[in-house]
Amino acid sequence: MLSKIRKSIVFLSVFLISSSFAATKDLQQIMKDRGLTERDVLAAAKTYTPTGMKDEYYVFSSGGQSGQVLVYGVPSMRILKYIGVFTPEPWQGYGFDNESKKILESGYIRGQEIKWGDTHHPNFSEKNGEYVGDYLFINDKANPRVAVINLHDFETTQIVVNPVLRSTHGGSFVTPNTEYIVDAAQYAAPFENEWVPIEAYEEKYRGGVTLWKFDYDKGKINEKDSFTLELPPYMQDLSDAGKGVSMGWAFTNSFNSEMYTGGIEKGLPPFEAGMSRHDTDYMHVYNWQLLEKLAKNPKNTKIINNHRVVTIEAAVKAGALFLIPEPKSPHGVDVSPDGKYIVVGGKLDTHVSVYDFEKIKKLIDKKEFVGKDPFGIPILDMKKTLHGQLELGLGPLHNSYDKEEGIIYTSLYVDSQIVKWDYKNLKVLDRVNVHYNIGHLDTMEGKSSKPKGEYGIALNKLSIDRFLPVGPLHPQNHQLIDLQGDKMDLIYDMPIGLGEPHDVVSIHASKINPSKTYDKMGTNSRTGEVHEGATLAGQERIERDGNKVKVYMTAIRSHLNPEHITVKKGDEVTIYVTNLERATDETHAFGVSGLNVHASVEPGKTSSVTFKADQEGVFPYYCTEFCSALHLEMMGYLTVKDDKKEYPDYKAAKVAKMSPAELKKEYKKILATNKATDAVIQSVVKFLKEKGYEKYPEIKALVKDALNQYGKIKEEKAKANKAYKDGDLNTAILWENQIWQYMVKTADAGLRAKNLLVKELSTKMSKNARKGEEAYLRGGCNGCHVIGKVSSGPDLTGALLRHENAEEFLYKFILNPEEYYDNPYMDAMIKAFNLRMPNQNMKPKEVKNIIEYLKWIDENAHLNQ
Amino acid sequence: MLSKIRKSIVFLSVFLISSSFAATKDLQQIMKDRGLTERDVLAAAKTYTPTGMKDEYYVFSSGGQSGQVLVYGVPSMRILKYIGVFTPEPWQGYGFDNESKKILESGYIRGQEIKWGDTHHPNFSEKNGEYVGDYLFINDKANPRVAVINLHDFETTQIVVNPVLRSTHGGSFVTPNTEYIVDAAQYAAPFENEWVPIEAYEEKYRGGVTLWKFDYDKGKINEKDSFTLELPPYMQDLSDAGKGVSMGWAFTNSFNSEMYTGGIEKGLPPFEAGMSRHDTDYMHVYNWQLLEKLAKNPKNTKIINNHRVVTIEAAVKAGALFLIPEPKSPHGVDVSPDGKYIVVGGKLDTHVSVYDFEKIKKLIDKKEFVGKDPFGIPILDMKKTLHGQLELGLGPLHNSYDKEEGIIYTSLYVDSQIVKWDYKNLKVLDRVNVHYNIGHLDTMEGKSSKPKGEYGIALNKLSIDRFLPVGPLHPQNHQLIDLQGDKMDLIYDMPIGLGEPHDVVSIHASKINPSKTYDKMGTNSRTGEVHEGATLAGQERIERDGNKVKVYMTAIRSHLNPEHITVKKGDEVTIYVTNLERATDETHAFGVSGLNVHASVEPGKTSSVTFKADQEGVFPYYCTEFCSALHLEMMGYLTVKDDKKEYPDYKAAKVAKMSPAELKKEYKKILATNKATDAVIQSVVKFLKEKGYEKYPEIKALVKDALNQYGKIKEEKAKANKAYKDGDLNTAILWENQIWQYMVKTADAGLRAKNLLVKELSTKMSKNARKGEEAYLRGGCNGCHVIGKVSSGPDLTGALLRHENAEEFLYKFILNPEEYYDNPYMDAMIKAFNLRMPNQNMKPKEVKNIIEYLKWIDENAHLNQ
């Protein structure tokens, strides 16, 4: 250990001596100023993810009652995206464009539009119990639905409504090869859509678990092939699917086996009193593979709301459904990576219970039961199914597995802790305090068959005093815990400022490979097919059919086409917008003032909006994305005319005419501007080509984008030339202006490409040269000298080539410039720049390093042409 | 410098030697593993904000087309909250509860419901040009509106619709004492709501700037006292209000002084070509104090849509409106802290222009004009008003001021840079590259009259490759820049995963002091008054008036009252929910399955929801916040009965009756449980009181919360006792259960209070004791020993008191435990625990430190009772 420390001291001496002086304070000073401890610095280093560096893991989190899914990176804990799922969100156009409206509408219940959800448990598609980054599933507890998110574009592509349950909590868990998405009930209710008084709870209210059949290739839930297993009204809770030895089975727990029905308003004790009366509730153990077969035979099912329900009776008869007592009001039920154990936390018990699936299976095979519940379901002996129990503390809720076999992490709600323990040897290994009241927790891929460990996340339901106050509604606090040592180490607090995430799942970054743009121009992102309204360049048009108007619009930096749309009051207008861009991140968006119309249109996508033009007037529309320097100019006017009204005879304004001479002058000016701009572009293109830009995919993409813009010039040039020939200089000037606009966009992407290429190609700076650069910057040399450019002082590129014995000369000169003021060369320079180089009081070593830096500049001068 | 480095080395040796070994890797190893440079570590230390430490600044950011405002902290760059403004958001209940629906509805335009906005420029209330953290204003460019956010609870309390403009961009800027909120037009349109063809653009389309009168005490915009200044259709853009020498004046720029009207669909060059034809556009200079007076005289105004518009003619005549040419298509127009200079970036020019207000004023006073525009507005000579111009690079957009006088920062969109420069001496001081394409930028309080400098934020419109990919729609990238040194230092990349923020404003954390709960029980948060539906404990009821049903509901951990609501099909149901909690962060929320009903109810708040019960059936409702371990049980049933239907004669289920003996046994058991739980609570209360918890406000609040829960027991106890007396043991058991539930909640808050108090009171660990704790943990001693508790091994508290010469004895024993296995005391211990203490191969120094740690434990043992 000591030698390690000694090594570190040596290292850190180097660290300090070679550290960038651009940072004005050293580590010690920063720690003092900000009150950081050594431990904080280590935590900072474990989580800080500098510009351009990517996170190791994606975390997908439910947004709770925000109805969304959020995505963040680990270890930086930065939120990368909110995905619209059950709630409309205009930035994404979700619930605003026709395509996503259709998705949302498929989630309406009995004709009632639903504009929110209470998202609970996200889960990935799986193969052999391992996570596959193709799809994410998320359930809505409040309005019992399941959504499918396509991870190739992070968009919601399907919502299905549970036809028989009124509330689901134990979803969306998937079977090991994504055969089914498991969604268990919470609040029992009648399956049919009819009134039944609470008094008939036991007779008519039911729980259940719906097995949604998933078609992996289509990426869609097949509603027809899905079915529900009827269960007693025990308030089912979380679920998990078996794997390995328990493949084919699934487990769902419950918290109201008392079947208490409340009634505080009648003077009865409230639900909470009666629902926690018994010391145990029931874990439901069922064989979904068997149920799948049963569901095919109408003898075993009732058809309710056009959906197959396998009855308790049929499931019991076939040996597909059992109950095992589990500790009071349990929450998590988590199958171990090998499928052998099922760990259950009893939230009103201080113990966790570890069930042994092989013991369960043996009792089932032997038909050894201790009794039946009122619905005839066989009950297994709890003790005989247990591997063991362990006292962890107050309020054990959820579990997540470690990469090391036998190790698990459990959250304690009341104790506000995570406990690391050994579920085979039933031994506590470690505890860490979290702030405050943790619900779910996650370890990386910790619920899959191949957990990765490394990091843990505590989803704390309260944050109280952790962050700057933001009013009575607080953010939650997701805390990151380093699991790589023996002891858990809490290293980051992340406030969640929108939504109340309920659960998260994590996946290694390498497993998610989304598209950057839509390959097929005009893609309907919700179906993956080419949109009926896809519009290529040149196909823009306005079509009318009765009082239905269809506008086929394109968007490209920086104009929409068409720019004028006139319709009649009362028309139903549909606008299809196709984003013609091919460049990454060049999203356009489309909003119309005052009409509740908005769409986000990523490169290659077609989105459509439909609205009734029932108000007369003038409605500007524009690209709401800051897509280019000219995004404000990317606009147009929708005007709605009332055919029944008479309008005054508006006349075009008399534009102040320019004289032919003035026009000619302006025309020449714009031609000269374009010629000069083009020369810059050509030099950049030449540079890029000569230096082999094609080898670098990111630079290649930028060049493609630049050339794409540049390619549009030819057509505009023809228009400009034609106008010129026709003697219409005004129009010729405008088209030349448009050419300039394309050139500006070409330069925008082209210069970015060149800068990246220069970075790629420049030789590596020696350590001394780097120190020289720091001394150069620290000394403020860049106040007068700009590398590659004559500024207040001369360009230093080639300074070493302009003098004999240049190194020695410059060394002496920088140390004592005043001694050279009379030197004829320097005198000439002083006169030319009207400025004398001051003595910067540099140290000899610093000057030597600066000369090394100047050498590096000369070495790479060819890149700075 | 060298001595500083030497000091640092010494420090860092200390750092490493004393650093927590709970962190398994030292800094060097972490840097190697994660590929961090020294510079990265410094940046990490500058931004990392450990658990419980607060940020220095709040940043309020517009959410762009998400229609929201987001709040984040600097320097940690963590998002603290999204505030619902123009878009409904269910987590906050915004647009779902009746109170916020009313706010949103007041923003509907001409009867059209609008469910999104394009939020642009947030601004704080000001006094003397300094920021005051009372209110935040934000404009919607798309649907021209301004919203007021009350910073005492971070809720939107007002939305006003612009009565004459169709699109506003240059808002919401405030005059130095928040007299007015300035909101300038963008896309010109007729003021009246009627169709006018684009050909009549010059004649009938108009720009303008609306001056919204703000009533500071009421926290509301006074629409009646507000007015609009008519302006030419030049596409006004950003604005700023003068201060100091320019007090009373305001400045708004423009980008289409060409008055070009596009028409690409007709073969005309698009807007972008014609709008950027001229080398200059116009800055509008107007005197709002004079205009305020003019607006009071009907001679100067036209009344349009019930709103006063001061005509161009009247403004010109009174000397209240002027134009100054400004560089091509400008964006930012930013008045210096002293009000003397106005800096304008011309986005299609490489220069920034610095206008001198005193020069402007002199020309105005002398009536020295170079001409008039087509609308008769006097034009000032650009050169004569300029202090100077400076070439900065491609695409200068926005500016923000430094705390040092004369220093400003400007964003370059195309060059993707921030330039730090001296606007008095017109000299570039520094540049930093940002990623990519920066729009607005901000420095702390950088647009107020007292900028703070310290940090800068780059609002980059593209992020391209900066983050893990999330599909074609990328997050943006807000980069944090340290401004505390001579050179700008880019230290953090923050992705924005929801919305496309347009601009931010920042304020020192000390200036924002929001409430933690609503003081007046039953507050309507949108009005600040007590809600008509406020319901205190005991006032819960259901009232019917015809087919209108009103439910007065309360929420407290962990039940809603009532739990059963039965209504008739067709009823209009209003539910008022009052959160009776007094504890910080104890928000409850209310959702009804399948009915699109959701509300967030923070402590002390009353929210109401209204819906039509037009579907027969059973609809569970519940608290959607994870408010306690029992939040799932916090539920109820709404049942909707169709009066026209006949229902079967449902009978109450025959509950399996327990025998009197069984009941008695259960009753005794719950009594014993409660007695034991109460003993724990009493011991905690005793501890808290004895140790003077009241001195610590946070702990005091927790104790108050605990006692609040505990206080509810008395009433339930009476019910339990009454039932017992009546011989109804079943009911007695349930009420005792409810008492236990209250006890659990009491313990939840009480134990949290005790833990905090122990932390406050325990003596400071010596350095050696701390090292001893590390050795103890590293050595795995805690595998068997739990401090304060007998576990697999004995409790080590008092171990030093249990032996003679204890220090020496333990020292030797820990180093060589095997030598003591036959010692009679140890032999007895071994037998008692059935475990022998193994040799952990500790170093003598480590053991000495462990003994120091044990001393510290004994010292504080009284805290661990």
Side-chain angles (χ1 to χ4, degrees), chain A residues 280-295:
Chain A
T280 55
D281 284 294
Y282 288 127
M283 174 161 69
H284 305 75
V285 178
Y286 47 98
N287 186 322
W288 62 263
Q289 287 180 333
L290 193 48
L291 290 168
E292 182 180 42
K293 282 177 203 147
L294 292 183

Side-chain angles (χ1 to χ4, degrees), chain A residues 48 272 279 491 669 745, chain B residues 48 272 279 491 669 745:
Chain A
Y48 181 79
E272 58 171 324
D279 285 339
I491 54 177
K669 192 178 158 201
K745 283 145 213 161
Chain B
Y48 182 78
E272 58 171 323
D279 284 341
I491 55 177
K669 192 178 157 200
K745 283 145 213 162

Side-chain angles (χ1 to χ4, degrees), chain A residues 8 15 24 26 34 38 45 48-49 51 53-54 58 65 78 81-82 89 91 110 113 115-116 118 142-143 166 186-188 195 197 261 263-267 270-272 276-277 279 331 347 413 437 461 463-466 469-470 472-474 485 487 491 493 497-500 516 558-559 563-564 585 593-594 596 615-616 622 624-626 628-629 632-633 635 637 639-640 650 666 669 698 730 735 738 741 745 752 782, chain B residues 8 15 24 26 34 36 38 45 48-49 51 53-54 58 65 78 81-82 89 91 110 113 115 118 142-143 166 186-188 195 197 261 263-267 270-272 276-277 279 331 347 413 437 461 463-466 469-470 472-474 485 487 491 493 497-498 500 516 558-559 563-564 585 593-594 596-597 615-616 622 624-626 628-629 632-633 635 637 639-640 650 666 669 698 730 735 738 741 745 752 782:
Chain A
S8 298
F15 166 81
T24 54
D26 64 15
R34 301 196 62 232
E38 298 81 359
Y48 181 79
T49 302
T51 189
M53 187 188 282
K54 308 287 199 299
Y58 284 91
Q65 58 269 39
R78 295 173 300 183
K81 198 172 211 169
Y82 274 85
E89 198 292 297
W91 167 61
R110 298 170 70 189
E113 72 170 33
K115 296 287 185 86
W116 73 292
D118 187 6
N143 314 291
R166 294 292 155 261
Q186 182 119 83
Y187 304 124
W195 178 81
T261 54
I264 192 169
E265 75 291 345
K266 302 175 183 75
F271 277 108
E272 58 171 324
S276 52
R277 181 171 174 178
D279 285 339
H331 220 12
K347 72 187 181 191
Y413 183 87
N437 292 70
K461 309 319 284 179
S463 68
I464 306 179
D465 59 349
R466 294 289 96 183
V470 290
L473 183 59
H474 290 239
K487 311 298 294 177
I491 54 177
D493 278 28
L498 172 58
E500 194 222 5
K516 288 181 175 177
S558 301
H559 52 268
E563 293 183 319
H564 304 147
D585 208 2
S593 169
N596 204 33
Q615 298 271 15
E616 177 196 359
Y622 66 105
T624 59
E625 278 277 333
F626 202 150
S628 75
L632 295 180
E633 289 79 350
M635 55 91 58
Y637 283 104
T639 59
V640 180
Y650 291 112
E666 193 186 350
K669 192 178 158 201
E698 261 174 42
N730 198 56
W735 282 118
Q738 181 56 25
Q741 293 302 349
K745 283 145 213 161
R752 217 155 59 211
N782 62 333
Chain B
S8 299
F15 167 80
T24 54
D26 65 13
R34 300 196 61 231
L36 299 179
E38 297 82 358
Y48 182 78
T49 303
T51 189
M53 186 187 281
K54 308 287 200 300
Y58 285 91
Q65 58 270 38
R78 295 174 302 182
K81 198 171 210 170
Y82 274 86
E89 198 291 299
W91 167 61
R110 298 170 71 188
E113 72 170 33
K115 297 287 185 86
D118 188 5
N143 314 292
R166 295 290 155 263
Q186 181 118 83
Y187 305 123
W195 178 81
T261 54
I264 192 171
E265 75 289 346
K266 303 176 183 73
F271 277 107
E272 58 171 323
S276 53
R277 181 172 174 177
D279 284 341
H331 220 11
K347 70 186 182 193
Y413 183 88
N437 292 72
K461 310 318 284 179
S463 68
I464 306 179
D465 59 348
R466 293 288 95 182
V470 290
L473 183 60
H474 291 239
K487 312 297 294 178
I491 55 177
D493 278 28
L498 172 58
E500 195 220 5
K516 288 181 175 177
S558 303
H559 52 267
E563 293 184 319
H564 303 148
D585 207 3
S593 169
N596 203 33
V597 167
Q615 298 272 13
E616 177 196 358
Y622 66 104
T624 60
E625 277 276 334
F626 202 150
S628 76
L632 294 180
E633 288 80 351
M635 55 90 58
Y637 284 104
T639 59
V640 181
Y650 291 113
E666 192 185 351
K669 192 178 157 200
E698 259 173 44
N730 197 57
W735 282 119
Q738 181 56 27
Q741 293 302 348
K745 283 145 213 162
R752 217 156 58 211
N782 63 333

Side-chain angles (χ1 to χ4, degrees), chain A residues 594-615:
Chain A
L595 293 178
N596 204 33
V597 167
H598 191 253
S600 173
V601 200
E602 294 82 46
K605 190 178 185 174
T606 296
S607 296
S608 67
V609 290
T610 298
F611 56 93
K612 192 88 186 278
D614 48 12
Q615 298 271 15

Side-chain angles (χ1 to χ4, degrees), chain A residues 363-378:
Chain A
L363 291 178
I364 289 173
D365 289 346
K366 288 198 290 180
K367 299 191 176 170
E368 186 183 326
F369 309 120
V370 291
K372 285 186 175 191
D373 84 336
F375 300 87
I377 308 172

Side-chain angles (χ1 to χ4, degrees), chain B residues 572-786:
Chain B
E572 183 197 282
V573 182
T574 298
I575 303 180
Y576 304 95
V577 189
T578 300
N579 181 343
L580 297 176
E581 307 277 357
R582 287 292 190 195
T584 299
D585 207 3
E586 266 305 336
T587 294
H588 294 298
F590 179 76
V592 187
S593 169
L595 292 178
N596 203 33
V597 167
H598 191 254
S600 174
V601 201
E602 294 81 47
K605 189 178 186 175
T606 296
S607 297
S608 68
V609 291
T610 298
F611 55 93
K612 192 87 184 281
D614 48 11
Q615 298 272 13
E616 177 196 358
V618 174
F619 305 89
Y621 53 84
Y622 66 104
C623 172
T624 60
E625 277 276 334
F626 202 150
C627 56
S628 76
L630 274 286
H631 100 111
L632 294 180
E633 288 80 351
M634 193 166 174
M635 55 90 58
Y637 284 104
L638 167 78
T639 59
V640 181
K641 193 174 178 178
D642 186 346
D643 261 8
K644 292 184 188 124
K645 253 176 87 170
E646 281 203 26
Y647 293 97
D649 188 16
Y650 291 113
K651 275 175 201 135
K654 281 153 277 170
V655 179
K657 278 249 169 103
M658 288 169 89
S659 72
E662 282 171 329
L663 277 171
K664 204 162 181 182
K665 196 177 154 202
E666 192 185 351
Y667 180 64
K668 275 190 179 165
K669 192 178 157 200
I670 181 74
L671 281 187
T673 302
N674 286 353
K675 198 177 162 189
T677 310
D678 196 38
V680 173
I681 291 171
Q682 293 312 324
S683 78
V684 171
V685 168
K686 185 165 170 272
F687 177 91
L688 290 165
K689 281 188 179 163
E690 280 178 10
K691 306 297 181 195
Y693 74 93
E694 288 185 330
K695 274 174 276 177
Y696 309 93
E698 259 173 44
I699 298 172
K700 198 176 161 187
L702 275 171
V703 174
K704 194 177 147 197
D705 180 28
L707 294 178
N708 190 28
Q709 290 287 331
Y710 194 77
K712 303 196 184 308
I713 289 173
K714 201 177 159 184
E715 194 185 329
E716 318 300 41
K717 187 72 194 173
K719 290 181 197 163
N721 287 347
K722 186 179 178 300
Y724 180 79
K725 267 189 200 159
D726 295 349
D728 180 1
L729 247 73
N730 197 57
T731 301
I733 288 167
L734 285 167
W735 282 119
E736 289 291 344
N737 240 313
Q738 181 56 27
I739 289 169
W740 186 68
Q741 293 302 348
Y742 278 121
M743 286 179 168
V744 167
K745 283 145 213 162
T746 305
D748 180 15
L751 287 171
R752 217 156 58 211
K754 189 189 168 193
N755 289 339
L756 283 176
L757 191 57
V758 165
K759 227 181 236 172
E760 289 285 351
L761 296 177
S762 58
T763 57
K764 208 170 169 273
M765 261 192 204
S766 71
K767 197 182 274 181
N768 285 341
R770 206 171 332 122
K771 284 191 214 164
E773 185 187 19
E774 285 155 10
Y776 173 88
L777 293 170
R778 204 169 62 254
C781 310
N782 63 333
C784 295
H785 299 285
V786 175

